[in-house]
Amino acid sequence: MSETRSVETTAADIEAAIEIGLEQLGVSRESVIVEILEEPSRGILGLGARQARIRLTTAAPPRYQSPPAPTPEAPPAEPEPAAAKPAPRPAARRAAPERVAEPEEDEVRVEPAPESELDDDARVGRATLQELLNKMHIDAEVVVFRSEAAPGEQAPWVLQIRGRDLGMLIGRRGETLAALQYITRLIASRDLERRANIVLDVEGYKSRREKVLRRLATRMAEQAIQLGRTVSLEPMPPYERRIVHLTLRDHPDVVTESVGEGENRKVTIIPRRRS
């Protein structure tokens, strides 16, 4: 039985990195799983540019599992006059990727950081975002507080938008919020002449979404272990996939991989093989 092989490559863009990896492995595109480890970036004002970094893993042959023993059917009963015909069994359906429920609308409130504690990133980011909201004719306020830092990272400032009827700023699966964050960061980074360490949120949407994703990741990991096979989540934006990866990073019985491309990129949860 052939074993999986893996290789990491870098290039100016993702497609070029994939081609390099395919040549090194000597396989076709259909025979590998592509995981994007780092997106390419041209940087801000020419600074901070980085290449794309990806990992190619050859698709492992499926592990053999004994099929479940068929359930013995009871012998047919003697026909009775005017007996009703049993309802036909519904056709089996293929399991779809697990979908993530939208976070509940419970209010998440945090105390804003004192004005004296705000640095340039927080002040410039807040002013930039408030100006964008004004130009969009959206009546809302921006409050600032520190987020929790991930291991090895500096805690970003969270610019939380508060107001009424702000669902339009979130969009489907947070896509509008992600776009607004990108624009705000871009303008603030230009003014600061460096990358602005800020993230955006709307009425605690991301905090609620993170709780939902962490619960889902844990539940689906247990399902993968019980079934003894890989399970897939629905396609997610990068920051949501990162939450799932971090939640299961130290799990003793599963590993996670991102598969797919663009808007169809999703997380898969794979049971660890026992020797």
Side-chain angles (χ1 to χ4, degrees):
M1 180 182 296
S2 60
E3 297 183 354
T4 61
R5 292 178 296 148
S6 180
V7 65
E8 291 186 14
T9 62
T10 59
D13 57 60
I14 292 173
E15 287 302 320
I18 291 174
E19 290 300 323
I20 294 172
L22 292 176
E23 183 176 351
Q24 292 181 8
L25 291 172
V27 296
S28 64
R29 179 67 173 266
E30 295 75 18
S31 304
V32 296
I33 296 173
V34 180
E35 180 181 0
I36 300 176
L37 303 177
E38 192 168 8
E39 297 276 358
S41 172
R42 291 180 293 181
I44 302 297
L45 300 177
L47 301 176
R50 63 174 181 268
Q51 290 189 314
R53 184 165 66 93
I54 61 104
R55 178 186 294 125
L56 296 185
T57 304
T58 56
R63 292 187 297 171
Y64 176 78
Q65 292 183 335
S66 300
T71 304
E73 296 185 358
E78 290 296 327
E80 298 179 4
K85 292 184 178 180
R89 294 183 180 178
R93 294 180 300 174
R94 296 181 61 185
E98 179 72 11
R99 300 194 64 80
V100 186
E102 288 297 313
E104 300 174 357
E105 292 300 323
D106 53 326
E107 191 173 19
V108 177
R109 288 283 175 175
V110 293
E111 289 299 321
E115 194 71 22
S116 59
E117 295 181 5
L118 303 185
D119 60 14
D120 290 343
D121 292 60
R123 296 178 190 277
V124 173
R126 181 179 60 182
T128 300
L129 178 56
Q130 191 68 68
E131 183 178 357
L132 287 172
L133 293 174
N134 292 341
K135 291 183 179 297
M136 296 165 66
H137 303 289
I138 294 177
D139 184 15
E141 66 170 337
V142 179
V143 297
V144 184
F145 61 92
R146 276 284 194 189
S147 174
E148 294 184 8
E153 298 180 1
Q154 182 183 4
W157 290 103
V158 177
L159 310 180
Q160 186 171 116
I161 307 171
R162 293 182 178 175
R164 300 184 61 183
D165 302 324
L166 298 179
M168 69 179 71
L169 293 180
I170 299 174
R172 179 175 174 269
R173 294 193 306 192
E175 292 173 351
T176 304
L177 178 57
L180 182 59
Q181 175 175 282
Y182 174 79
I183 295 171
T184 304
R185 274 182 178 173
L186 192 65
I187 297 174
S189 297
R190 181 198 61 189
D191 293 342
L192 292 167
E193 298 185 351
R194 57 176 171 78
R195 184 180 183 277
N197 190 24
I198 57 177
V199 296
L200 271 59
D201 198 0
V202 175
E203 289 289 7
Y205 168 83
K206 285 186 176 179
S207 299
R208 298 192 300 273
R209 180 77 169 173
E210 180 174 346
K211 292 178 182 178
V212 171
L213 289 168
R214 289 188 180 277
R215 289 197 298 266
L216 175 74
T218 301
R219 188 175 78 249
M220 297 308 293
E222 294 303 316
Q223 180 175 323
I225 295 168
Q226 292 174 5
L227 297 176
R229 62 175 175 82
T230 298
V231 298
S232 299
L233 306 185
E234 69 174 31
M236 299 177 186
Y239 85 92
E240 292 191 350
R241 295 197 304 270
R242 181 173 180 272
I243 291 171
V244 176
H245 287 308
L246 289 176
T247 301
L248 300 178
R249 177 178 55 185
D250 299 323
H251 198 293
D253 298 317
V254 299
V255 294
T256 59
E257 290 184 3
S258 291
V259 299
E261 297 181 355
E263 294 183 354
N264 295 321
R265 193 157 174 79
K266 59 189 176 183
V267 176
T268 58
I269 303 174
I270 309 166
R272 294 181 186 270
R273 293 186 175 183
R274 299 298 184 183
S275 56

